[in-house]
Amino acid sequence: MSACVPTRTSDSTHPKRVHPPHSPPPGPRRRFRIAGADVSASIAVFLIALPLSLGIALATGAPLQAGLVAAAVGGIVVGRLGGSPLQVSGPAAGLTVVTADLIQRYGWRTTCAVTVLAGVAQLGLGCLRVARTALAVSPAIVHGMLAGIGVTIAVAQLHIVLGGTPQSSVLDNLLALPAQLAGLQPAAVAVSVLTLSLLLIWPRIPGRTGRLLRTMPAPLVAVAGATATASLAGLTLPKVDLPSWRSHALAGLPEGPALGVAAAVLTITLVCSVQSLLGAVAVDKLIASRPGLITSPATRAPRVGRSDLDRELLGQGAANIVSGSLGGLPVAGVAVRSSANVHAGAVSRNSTMLHGVLVVVAALLMVPILELIPLASLAALVMAVGIQMVSLHHIRTVTRHREVLVYAATTLAVVFLNVLQGVILGIAVAVAVALNRLAHTRITHDEREGVHHIQVRGQLTFLAVPRLSRALHLVPHGSPAVVELDGSFMDHAAYEALQDWQKTHTAQGGSVELTGRRLGTGTITPAAAGAGAGTGGEEPTVPAAPGAGTPLADCRCRPWTPWRNHQCEVPPSGPSSGISPGGHPAKEPVAAPGTVPGGHPAGRSVGTTGPAGAAGHPSSTEPEPHPTTPPSTTATSTATTSTTPASAAPGSPAPTSTSPASHAPGGTASDSSPLDSQEPSTPQEPGSHQLVRGISAFQRNTAPLVRGELARLAREGQRPTQLFLTCADSRLVTSMITSSGPGDLFVVRNVGNLVPPPGEESGDDSVGAAIEYAVDVLNVRSITVCGHSGCGAMQALLGSEPGGQQTPLKRWLRHGLPSLERMADDSHPWPRLAGRAPADAVEQLCLTNVVQQLDHLRAHSSVARALRAGALELHGLYFHVGEAQTYLLTGGGGDELFDHVGVADLTA
């Protein structure tokens, strides 16, 4: 097969407009169109919003029309002016407690006035462009606030479900519950149980019938079913009462103490703003999971961009002004309706606006039907919403991140005090927890084989200096000592205390080895008196013993270079430096007194700590001068590495795998830890030595941090969510580019990221077996084929000549011939990169190969079954090594575009 691939020129097939000469071209015709997807999505959202709006109005004690007013205004006003096109706004369950308290204290008309003032405050915040500041609130506080509101709603609505009347507070409702249970109304309980049963069962109906029935939202089915049953059975129950719109109460002047009204305005503003902004961010993630919403498959033009949070705040403020003026409830973004809008296929803000129009039509024309709904059914619906606001997923998340105290304090304060006081208390507890973590430092001292170890766990500030000094003075004069600093911050007071002790100890004949995230490593001898124990990204200058070759600290590795083949080139320093032409020490340093060869203290196990901001892996970089004054800065690197020495040939460095520790499940280090450290290894070092050094560093620094997470995985077994099929190229690090941790990815690597088609004669079963196991046994939810720039397999395909000896590599690369044929076929348009053309034929073949291998995947029976069932997604990625940029395959149907993952997030 010829390796020459014809080049193409892009010919436009669109007819050109003809207009008279010397005249401007006619402007585009503007016609208002509503996509069919928006119409169907608006109907789905309307059917959910109608019963929920009435239920929330009932729970607050407001006129029931107020819920319909807020739903209509939220849909039309926020839909038109807001910055999140697909977010649906209306009366929210998170505002129920606040609004109910305002109505009881100040009356309905003053509550409407407070809503108007809160809208004005939101407009002011939007003009100040401080919307993103609201996202700085700890998620534990937000989840705790919602959980407290959910508990309050559920306890209050339980009384209506039992046929009674709720009290003014959670405590009163709990005290009155025994009497309410004694006098429950069987008819109300029956209707409520039917409503809750339909809510629970309807989304879980299996099979094709279930898929058809689930097109009707569960809240509508539950309320409609309970209403029909109550009417047919002739049950006598309190029902919805919608008085004439002519008697609907509008906003009035605020009445009450100025301080109380101001606190009410602040509370409504805070809750509405935070809930709406967090909802907009969540909707962005939902949109990113649907690439078709980001760009139009036909024109590649943007469809739905990311939310403009400041504009969203302005839209919410305008809606609250209108809703309060018309006698409606406060308006905020609503998660349930927003997710339903995205999942129903909405493509623009027209769906949100149309749903508001439908609410207006229902409020005017469907009053006789709405008045058939039993109040017990609406109360059961709202109670279910309140229970769902106490999310077990959120509780597990805050538990993993050690934020349970913040969550619990916020929840209890909201339940027993009010929302504003609960949020303030939650913020205070969160600040206290953060200060405690900053100030809490654990310092231990122990002696092992004659070497004194001082371990510092946590940030080293002036508060810990007394305990640090006590531990340091436990080391006898003249003894070897190792100070292990596990922290990313050291202030000047701690630095001075450590430096003074170091000077004194080394002057008395002792030796000091400093290890940690940001410190260099070496043996400090009496000649090192006065050397800095630098922090904040600069390593200390640690002179070698007399007669030694290259000082260890001359190898200045920076935090971003832990992946450069583990090579640490030293800067040239003249003929007497002992540096070979290759930039490595010409000979091993002579051991200093009290040390063993290699510069380690006597009795110290093999393996010392390198520059810890980069996980301690040395690498080559240009030297920088050290400051004379130690800066007090925090570590900025979160990258972690883990060595894979099994693939290291003798004399060659081992490849690495990197991923941020913050993404590891359970909050533990992923693959490795920021504290992982390894010896500076030279290219002359045998591969077995690198293996031992890597294992030693892992066991000493990383294993204690990941042991709990790996123990959990060992108990529960592997449950990865993705099958990741990529090339065996050593520069492609899957855990680094996906920010994944142990147990996240089921990885298959081979030369060229090839997927042999099933059933091919003499095919390769290893890839097919991995695909079948991942899909049928592990039940992965997605399969990703990842190609990369500079792929040697693609270069070999382009340069291959027919015939010749059939080596194992040539036999394997035959699975890539369909990709070469696809690129040479004029009937297939070439896959494209966003923003630029492919650099050369190799890059074009790399892109084409990803698309072709996805076609091979679809031919596997297990993959085809999962795709038909909707349980599996296929993704294509292209990683440009030189740019460190990942591109996601979007589009389809012959128009494949690899777009920036910053625009279309695969993990969203």
Side-chain angles (χ1 to χ4, degrees):
M1 177 184 295
S2 173
C4 298
V5 179
T7 59
R8 301 183 184 181
T9 58
S10 57
D11 298 327
S12 176
T13 59
H14 299 284
K16 298 181 179 179
R17 293 186 178 182
V18 179
H19 57 274
H22 310 293
S23 65
R29 297 180 180 177
R30 294 188 176 182
R31 290 183 296 177
F32 180 72
R33 292 182 177 180
I34 298 180
D38 284 334
V39 175
S40 60
S42 67
I43 295 174
V45 176
F46 160 72
L47 295 177
I48 296 174
L50 191 63
L52 282 177
S53 300
L54 292 173
I56 291 172
L58 173 67
T60 60
L64 296 184
Q65 293 103 323
L68 300 177
V69 171
V73 171
I76 298 173
V77 177
V78 181
R80 181 65 186 89
L81 303 178
S84 182
L86 300 189
Q87 177 169 239
V88 181
S89 298
L95 296 165
T96 302
V97 176
V98 181
T99 310
D101 183 62
L102 289 178
I103 293 173
Q104 289 182 356
R105 288 190 180 188
Y106 306 116
W108 171 242
R109 293 171 65 87
T110 299
T111 301
C112 292
V114 169
T115 302
V116 173
L117 294 176
V120 174
Q122 286 181 299
L123 288 179
L125 293 176
C127 293
L128 294 175
R129 307 187 67 84
V130 297
R132 291 201 173 271
T133 306
L135 302 181
V137 179
S138 170
I141 298 175
V142 177
H143 298 327
M145 178 189 72
L146 295 178
I149 293 172
V151 171
T152 305
I153 292 173
V155 173
Q157 297 309 299
L158 180 59
H159 284 269
I160 302 179
V161 166
L162 298 176
T165 303
Q167 304 298 317
S168 58
S169 67
V170 176
L171 188 58
D172 292 339
N173 282 320
L174 292 176
L175 294 176
L177 192 57
Q180 187 64 62
L181 289 172
L184 58 84
Q185 301 294 324
V189 173
V191 169
S192 301
V193 169
L194 177 60
T195 304
L196 294 174
S197 300
L198 288 174
L199 277 175
L200 183 64
I201 296 173
W202 192 260
R204 293 172 172 80
I205 299 176
R208 181 177 301 178
T209 303
R211 287 197 297 271
L212 293 175
L213 293 177
R214 283 195 296 271
T215 56
M216 293 294 291
L220 177 68
V221 172
V223 174
T227 301
T229 302
S231 299
L232 293 176
L235 300 177
T236 302
L237 290 169
K239 297 180 180 179
V240 169
D241 181 16
L242 291 175
S244 172
W245 286 101
R246 296 177 182 176
S247 60
H248 180 62
L250 302 180
L253 293 177
E255 296 179 359
L259 189 59
V261 172
V265 172
L266 177 61
T267 304
I268 293 288
T269 303
L270 174 67
V271 177
C272 287
S273 301
V274 172
Q275 182 170 341
S276 300
L277 296 176
L278 293 178
V281 174
V283 170
D284 283 344
K285 295 180 180 180
L286 290 176
I287 293 174
S289 65
R290 295 178 53 196
L293 277 178
I294 298 175
T295 54
S296 171
T299 64
R300 312 312 308 175
R303 272 189 174 181
V304 180
R306 289 191 177 273
S307 298
D308 184 341
L309 297 185
D310 292 306
R311 179 179 173 182
E312 179 66 16
L313 201 54
L314 292 172
Q316 296 289 341
N320 275 313
I321 292 176
V322 175
S323 179
S325 301
L326 297 179
L329 291 171
V331 171
V334 188
V336 175
R337 278 162 263 182
S338 301
S339 60
N341 192 36
V342 176
H343 290 309
V347 295
S348 72
R349 62 177 69 242
N350 291 332
S351 64
T352 304
M353 298 171 62
L354 186 56
H355 124 269
V357 174
L358 293 176
V359 172
V360 173
V361 173
L364 296 177
L365 303 180
M366 295 178 59
V367 173
I369 297 177
L370 296 178
E371 289 183 337
L372 296 176
I373 301 175
L375 295 182
S377 178
L378 292 179
L381 175 64
V382 177
M383 186 179 71
V385 173
I387 294 173
Q388 291 172 356
M389 293 173 70
V390 186
S391 172
L392 294 179
H393 171 70
H394 292 158
I395 295 175
R396 286 193 294 265
T397 301
V398 299
T399 301
R400 285 200 305 266
H401 293 280
R402 297 184 299 166
E403 300 283 347
V404 177
L405 183 60
V406 178
Y407 180 90
T410 307
T411 301
L412 294 175
V414 169
V415 169
F416 293 106
L417 299 176
N418 57 52
V419 174
L420 182 59
Q421 293 178 359
V423 171
I424 293 175
L425 181 61
I427 293 175
V429 173
V431 171
V433 169
L435 292 176
N436 178 69
R437 290 176 179 173
L438 180 63
H440 182 70
T441 306
R442 182 186 177 193
I443 302 175
T444 60
H445 166 267
D446 64 334
E447 180 183 357
R448 297 193 297 267
E449 300 179 0
V451 179
H452 292 262
H453 293 263
I454 307 296
Q455 295 180 335
V456 181
R457 298 290 182 261
Q459 315 309 317
L460 199 52
T461 65
F462 66 95
L463 297 174
V465 168
R467 287 181 288 127
L468 175 64
S469 298
R470 284 196 297 268
L472 292 176
H473 283 84
L474 294 176
V475 180
H477 299 321
S479 302
V482 176
V483 180
E484 301 177 12
L485 303 177
D486 174 16
S488 58
F489 180 82
M490 176 192 296
D491 69 2
H492 191 75
Y495 169 80
E496 290 288 349
L498 186 60
Q499 187 187 48
D500 292 342
W501 172 82
Q502 170 192 303
K503 290 179 181 179
T504 303
H505 190 71
T506 53
Q508 294 172 348
S511 64
V512 178
E513 181 183 356
L514 298 176
T515 68
R517 291 191 178 189
R518 308 294 293 180
L519 296 177
T521 303
T523 301
I524 300 182
T525 61
T535 61
E538 299 296 341
E539 288 73 43
T541 302
V542 185
T550 304
L552 192 56
D554 282 350
C555 178
R556 298 169 187 174
C557 307
R558 305 299 296 165
W560 58 271
T561 58
W563 315 299
R564 286 185 71 177
N565 293 335
H566 291 206
Q567 295 177 4
C568 206
E569 298 178 4
V570 289
S573 56
S576 62
S577 62
I579 307 298
S580 65
H584 303 286
K587 59 180 179 178
E588 289 291 331
V590 178
T595 64
V596 295
H600 307 291
R604 173 71 167 155
S605 61
V606 176
T608 59
T609 309
H617 293 297
S619 60
S620 60
T621 184
E622 295 182 5
E624 298 180 8
H626 294 292
T628 56
T629 302
S632 296
T633 58
T634 58
T636 57
S637 173
T638 58
T640 64
T641 62
S642 69
T643 309
T644 314
S647 60
S652 65
T656 60
S657 174
T658 308
S659 67
S662 60
H663 293 277
T668 59
S670 170
D671 284 351
S672 184
S673 157
L675 298 180
D676 190 13
S677 58
Q678 292 193 9
E679 317 300 325
S681 60
T682 64
Q684 294 83 5
E685 186 179 26
S688 60
H689 290 184
Q690 295 183 15
L691 175 66
V692 171
R693 290 174 184 267
I695 294 174
S696 174
F698 171 80
Q699 293 299 140
R700 182 176 66 254
N701 297 315
T702 305
L705 299 178
V706 301
R707 186 171 290 118
E709 178 63 18
L710 292 179
R712 183 187 66 81
L713 292 173
R715 291 192 306 269
E716 300 176 1
Q718 63 166 334
R719 291 184 291 181
T721 59
Q722 301 179 52
L723 166 60
F724 201 87
L725 201 153
T726 187
C727 186
D729 193 295
S730 61
R731 299 166 297 178
L732 201 66
V733 186
T734 58
S735 58
M736 177 174 66
I737 66 176
T738 59
S739 296
S740 56
D744 291 342
L745 298 181
F746 189 72
V747 182
V748 175
R749 303 186 68 147
N750 61 53
V751 176
N753 48 275
L754 301 178
V755 181
E760 184 177 344
E761 184 179 357
S762 301
D764 182 85
D765 287 335
S766 63
V767 178
I771 294 171
E772 180 181 346
Y773 183 78
V775 174
D776 293 342
V777 179
L778 299 179
N779 297 317
V780 296
R781 295 193 295 270
S782 70
I783 302 179
T784 302
V785 177
C786 179
H788 68 99
S789 61
C791 181
M794 300 301 105
Q795 296 176 22
L797 280 173
L798 283 174
S800 63
E801 296 292 340
Q805 182 181 1
Q806 290 298 307
T807 63
L809 180 59
K810 285 187 175 181
R811 286 195 297 271
W812 169 254
L813 289 180
R814 77 184 187 278
H815 300 305
L817 295 179
S819 301
L820 196 61
E821 296 170 357
R822 186 188 189 105
M823 191 169 72
D825 188 358
D826 291 337
S827 63
H828 286 88
W830 282 352
R832 300 174 292 121
L833 277 174
R836 65 175 178 86
D840 49 27
V842 174
E843 186 167 55
Q844 184 63 67
L845 182 56
C846 291
L847 301 175
T848 306
N849 182 59
V850 172
V851 178
Q852 183 65 36
Q853 302 314 311
L854 290 173
D855 287 347
H856 290 178
L857 265 176
R858 295 184 183 96
H860 283 262
S861 58
S862 56
V863 175
R865 285 195 304 271
L867 288 174
R868 285 194 300 268
L872 185 66
E873 295 179 351
L874 299 185
H875 300 285
L877 286 183
Y878 175 72
F879 181 71
H880 194 287
V881 177
E883 297 175 355
Q885 176 64 52
T886 308
Y887 297 84
L888 172 66
L889 177 62
T890 61
D895 186 16
E896 289 85 7
L897 174 71
F898 285 84
D899 205 350
H900 294 278
V901 173
V903 177
D905 188 3
L906 174 65
T907 62

